[in-house]
Amino acid sequence: MGMTIAEKILADHSGRATVKPGEYVWCSVDGTALLGHSPLLKRLETLGVERLFDPDRIYAVEDHMAPPPTLEVANAMVDLRRLVKKYGVTHFFEYGRHGILHELFPHHGYISPGDLIVSIDSHSTSYGCFNVASTPVNEEMLFVVVTGQIWLRVPETIRFNITGKLPGPEEFVVGKDVILRIAGEYGTECAIYRSVEFHGPAVHQMSMSSRFTMANMSVELGAKFGIFPCDDKTLAYLEGKMRRPSRPVAPDPDASYESVHSIDVTGMPPYVARPHDPGNSVPVMDVEADRVKIDQAYIGSCTNARMEDFRMAARIIKGRKVHPDVRLIATPASQDIWQQCLREGIWELFAEAGVLVTSSTCGACAGMHMGVLGDGEVCVSSTNRNFLGRMGSPKASVYLANPATVAASAVTGYITDPRKFL
Amino acid sequence: MAEKLGLRFQGRVWKFGDNISTDLMMPGHLYSRMLPWEEIAKHSMAANRPGWAEQVRRGDIIIARRNFGCGSSRPAPRILKALGITVVVAESMSRLFFRNAVNVGFPVLICAGAYDAFEEGDVAEVDAETGQVRNLTRGTAFQGEALAPDTPPYEILKAGGLDTYLKDVIARMKKGTWRPA
């Protein structure tokens, strides 16, 4: 019996010829990450740990609350910098060169096709867009940085064939809309404990940025992995960056899938997820009909704050003003993106429109920093979760959308189909 | 026959529905203060169920429906543990919540049919090792998915959590006798 991508990567990393769903395997990980707000130093010292499994495969940054909003976070960063020095962690990103880990690490070449990545933060599924099996842990970071090993239960695999032609960023319909649509049609627990594979012609037509968003939000389906095939676009993105050889993995023709679904994305509209679940997604026209007035519009997070996202928003913002009752906050996924937006003149036209541009952080997405919502406020956001209380007040409401929808809504003052601005 | 874990609990039941996220258990807006678990616990479920945290007593049990612990990887099981909850039973559960729970020695159990069989305030008996769930108030019983012995999560739960398990692994690594199974 053939194997799926996840099965092949887990077999490869556990030293077995084959694995099958339901088996428990110990795997060697190719890379992992440390974040400042989840301190490990004291636990490592208590355990008397003298060295980490491979200081060159551990990447450290603080992104959730950057730079520190409080004394407590500042002190956690003192600990992170001490850990980095004490254990000789090679790759640490200081403020100004930092970013949200999932954007930062592939950009610096820490991710190669065929890898197994185990990392803190639930959106660690993001690296799946590079043909990687990547999954989040939290408590086990301690174990992973010491041993370089992880136990995993081999997951069943669900296959989504994305067919037809996605309208694309030119027409303001991107990967975000596809993944919101899947969350709506299949539910936010359709992939619990499962690996999700995305295949089909529309996948190869999609930009890496759109694939990133879909792999990223696979965790919103409950998935352990969200994996894309490797193609020319994958290799073009990673070319000249990778620190490890690329070992692309394709599923066997006779691989066994738990289920296979087909989705035709031809001519599909942008999608919006209503409060308080990413699965409450509907075409943007349905929400526009409700004339949902907004207080905050947010373009940020690992999900949608890359160049494709800001370029779409800039086309809408250019020569217009943010609605007087609205604040639009733009928080790029990394300082490299911040700099590229500066070069392309995007920050200038944002400033003229009255947009607040911040430094890179997870920030408002998780209700932690720079853009937290107050009681009764409504936000349209390019982020990944609209759970009750997610972005601050439990009395606030969050609508998830693609960055073009966010920008269009910021201009009109209510949730708006961005295609009006084409 | 594997060693018994001693994971049988009796307690008063709190019911929670679908998609109870870790954001609800451990609100993000408190994060920047980096409070001790016990302090965060006072705000647990404040968004969906204000005042709940004050009513929880040591030994209480949560029975939830679908997708319990969805969302963020934040260490939410520590919060429920700090409140005195002994075990969570759910129809389905996020894998991140499951792993985080096992790693802090907090037993969880996936059990179909349990949710509808309990009213809030009923007394449950849950054996997280055998997977058996009993409603002592109504005299009904259900079989959940027991953890298979000799699997890593079983071993970690047996050790009482990851730190103790890792201490043993480190000692064996130093002697050169630890091999991932």
Side-chain angles (χ1 to χ4, degrees):
Chain A
M1 179 62 79
M3 291 192 284
T4 65
I5 297 177
E7 288 158 15
K8 283 185 169 180
I9 292 177
L10 294 186
D12 181 43
H13 287 76
S14 63
R16 298 176 184 217
T18 60
V19 296
K20 52 179 195 294
E23 285 180 330
Y24 287 84
V25 290
W26 281 95
C27 296
S28 300
V29 306
D30 290 305
T32 189
L34 293 174
L35 295 178
H37 76 283
S38 289
L40 283 189
L41 182 64
K42 287 185 180 71
R43 286 167 78 190
L44 288 167
E45 288 180 343
T46 304
L47 283 163
V49 172
E50 285 154 16
R51 60 194 168 84
L52 305 183
F53 87 101
D54 185 348
D56 202 37
R57 289 170 183 258
I58 300 168
Y59 318 122
V61 70
E62 168 53 18
D63 51 9
H64 279 58
M65 293 164 279
T70 59
L71 178 59
E72 289 79 9
V73 177
N75 281 333
M77 287 308 291
V78 171
D79 273 7
L80 180 66
R81 292 188 194 94
R82 257 187 64 210
L83 185 159
V84 163
K85 287 225 161 52
K86 175 172 177 168
Y87 292 104
V89 170
T90 324
H91 311 282
F92 169 64
F93 294 86
E94 195 47 91
Y95 298 127
R97 288 84 83 188
H98 73 283
I100 302 176
L101 76 166
H102 311 305
E103 174 60 31
L104 197 63
F105 299 148
H107 182 76
H108 285 275
Y110 304 153
I111 309 293
S112 298
D115 276 358
L116 174 66
I117 302 291
V118 173
S119 170
I120 190 160
D121 193 88
S122 57
H123 291 103
S124 296
T125 52
S126 302
Y127 310 124
C129 72
F130 302 109
N131 190 230
V132 164
S134 181
T135 197
V137 296
N138 184 300
E139 296 286 354
E140 270 160 307
M141 284 308 303
L142 184 68
F143 193 91
V144 174
V145 297
V146 174
T147 66
Q149 300 284 323
I150 182 90
W151 66 265
L152 292 170
R153 181 189 164 279
V154 180
E156 292 80 9
T157 300
I158 299 175
R159 180 176 173 130
F160 283 99
N161 291 324
I162 317 290
T163 65
K165 185 182 178 302
L166 189 71
E170 301 76 19
E171 296 176 51
F172 299 143
V173 184
V174 287
K176 176 63 157 285
D177 304 299
V178 180
I179 195 75
L180 285 178
R181 179 176 159 192
I182 291 174
E185 290 180 10
Y186 295 87
T188 45
E189 60 161 350
C190 68
I192 285 188
Y193 303 112
R194 269 70 174 172
S195 175
V196 172
E197 281 182 21
F198 297 102
H199 294 281
V203 155
H204 295 285
Q205 171 225 330
M206 268 182 214
S207 66
M208 288 311 294
S209 188
S210 274
R211 296 181 202 181
F212 190 114
T213 305
M214 292 181 63
N216 172 280
M217 284 189 66
S218 295
V219 76
E220 265 57 73
L221 310 175
K224 177 181 236 164
F225 306 126
I227 312 181
F228 282 74
C230 183
D231 65 10
D232 293 347
K233 285 183 183 167
T234 321
L235 296 174
Y237 179 93
L238 296 170
E239 183 67 41
K241 297 190 180 88
M242 283 182 289
R243 289 160 187 263
R244 284 187 295 278
S246 165
R247 293 162 295 137
V249 180
D252 288 326
D254 59 342
S256 173
Y257 293 94
E258 187 184 64
S259 57
V260 180
H261 309 287
S262 260
I263 296 170
D264 186 343
V265 294
T266 308
M268 70 172 270
Y271 268 63
V272 173
R274 290 184 167 124
H276 298 284
D277 188 82
N280 291 341
S281 68
V282 291
V284 65
M285 302 81 80
D286 295 11
V287 181
E288 186 172 26
D290 302 343
R291 296 282 290 197
V292 179
K293 284 182 72 174
I294 56 167
D295 302 288
Q296 177 164 308
Y298 186 71
I299 303 177
S301 84
C302 51
T303 304
N304 276 119
R306 286 177 293 278
M307 290 317 301
E308 177 174 291
D309 304 321
F310 289 116
R311 285 174 188 142
M312 283 195 299
R315 282 164 54 205
I316 293 168
I317 298 292
K318 190 176 183 177
R320 298 191 173 90
K321 296 278 184 205
V322 175
H323 190 276
D325 297 336
V326 175
R327 58 206 186 248
L328 171 55
I329 301 176
T331 301
S334 72
Q335 290 303 112
D336 294 298
I337 291 170
W338 194 99
Q339 200 179 352
Q340 185 59 29
C341 285
L342 181 72
R343 281 192 207 106
E344 295 188 15
I346 293 174
W347 286 168
E348 191 178 352
L349 69 90
F350 273 26
E352 281 164 4
V355 180
L356 171 64
V357 175
T358 77
S359 55
S360 180
T361 180
C362 306
C365 170
M368 293 181 183
H369 193 24
M370 293 204 288
V372 176
L373 299 177
D375 294 351
E377 292 196 313
V378 176
C379 178
V380 60
S381 180
S382 77
T383 56
N384 42 61
R385 296 188 179 127
N386 55 351
F387 299 152
L388 187 69
R390 167 75 178 175
M391 290 183 76
S393 168
K395 295 179 181 131
S397 298
V398 179
Y399 291 76
L400 302 177
N402 81 36
T405 305
V406 174
S409 309
V411 168
T412 62
Y414 63 95
I415 294 173
T416 300
D417 187 338
R419 295 174 299 176
K420 282 193 171 49
F421 292 88
L422 281 171
Chain B
M1 184 65 193
E3 196 183 324
K4 278 281 181 192
L5 299 186
L7 296 179
R8 187 189 286 187
F9 306 97
Q10 242 184 53
R12 179 176 66 153
V13 167
W14 294 100
K15 284 182 74 175
F16 283 87
D18 294 335
N19 303 323
I20 300 298
S21 71
T22 54
D23 290 78
L24 295 175
M25 300 174 207
M26 201 176 171
H29 67 86
L30 294 174
Y31 244 90
S32 62
R33 292 156 66 190
M34 304 199 76
L35 298 167
W37 311 122
E38 296 72 21
E39 285 300 310
I40 300 172
K42 292 178 185 166
H43 305 270
S44 192
M45 312 286 190
N48 53 328
R49 204 161 172 180
W52 176 74
E54 291 136 50
Q55 300 170 53
V56 177
R57 289 196 304 253
R58 231 145 252 291
D60 285 356
I61 289 170
I62 287 179
I63 298 192
R65 207 155 47 194
R66 314 285 307 167
N67 205 17
F68 189 81
C70 60
S72 164
S73 74
R74 66 192 65 171
R78 287 185 188 266
I79 303 301
L80 301 185
K81 203 176 172 182
L83 279 172
I85 300 289
T86 51
V87 61
V88 172
V89 178
E91 307 254 326
S92 69
M93 192 174 292
S94 133
R95 61 165 286 279
L96 262 168
F97 186 87
F98 176 86
R99 283 189 91 105
N100 284 337
V102 165
N103 285 323
V104 295
F106 181 68
V108 293
L109 183 68
I110 294 165
C111 181
Y115 181 84
D116 288 335
F118 282 85
E119 293 297 327
E120 196 154 270
D122 286 357
V123 176
E125 185 182 83
V126 179
D127 189 324
E129 182 169 18
T130 63
Q132 193 169 75
V133 177
R134 293 169 61 204
N135 185 333
L136 299 184
T137 306
R138 292 165 206 279
T140 48
F142 302 86
Q143 185 59 46
E145 298 172 24
L147 266 184
D150 305 322
T151 59
Y154 184 96
E155 296 287 326
I156 293 166
L157 205 52
K158 189 168 86 178
L162 189 75
D163 286 48
T164 317
Y165 181 79
L166 180 56
K167 197 183 283 183
D168 176 55
V169 167
I170 290 169
R172 281 153 59 197
M173 280 169 82
K174 281 180 179 159
K175 282 190 250 160
T177 58
W178 187 67
R179 298 270 176 283

